[in-house]
Amino acid sequence: MVKAEELVTIADALANPVRLKILKLLCEKEWYVYELAKVLGISRQLLYLHLRKLEKAGLVESELRLEEGDPRAKKYYRAKKFRIVIDNETIKELEM
């Protein structure tokens, strides 16, 4: 059973065209933040704000990695598997 608050969080995350574009890219492959910001043409700070909303909604996940020859940890993001169905029955069964 879906809670109304969860549905609102997901809907809020998907209500922005930039976040939809980010999610689309993350569904295709995982991305390093710097590369993703460059492709989208936005700052890393703005990208992190969008990614936080998508993470809070449970749509994406991140992982810090150390790569050979690079002393800095890099944060990679990828889409989580999800399925969202919103119909009359979903709304009637919402936990308010």
Side-chain angles (χ1 to χ4, degrees), residues 49-63:
L49 290 173
H50 287 302
L51 287 168
R52 251 184 255 130
K53 276 209 175 216
L54 290 167
E55 262 189 315
K56 183 180 176 188
L59 302 172
V60 304
E61 60 190 0
S62 62
E63 178 184 2

Side-chain angles (χ1 to χ4, degrees), residues 71-93:
R72 298 170 293 158
K74 292 182 177 179
K75 197 166 196 176
Y76 285 84
Y77 282 85
R78 66 184 156 270
K80 292 174 73 173
K81 293 276 185 195
F82 65 89
R83 179 173 168 80
I84 301 167
V85 176
I86 303 171
D87 59 10
N88 294 34
E89 291 305 310
T90 305
I91 300 300
K92 285 194 293 189
E93 293 176 11

Side-chain angles (χ1 to χ4, degrees), residues 7-22:
L7 184 58
V8 169
T9 301
I10 292 168
D12 183 45
L14 296 175
N16 183 292
V18 174
R19 284 193 289 275
L20 282 175
K21 190 171 185 178
I22 292 167

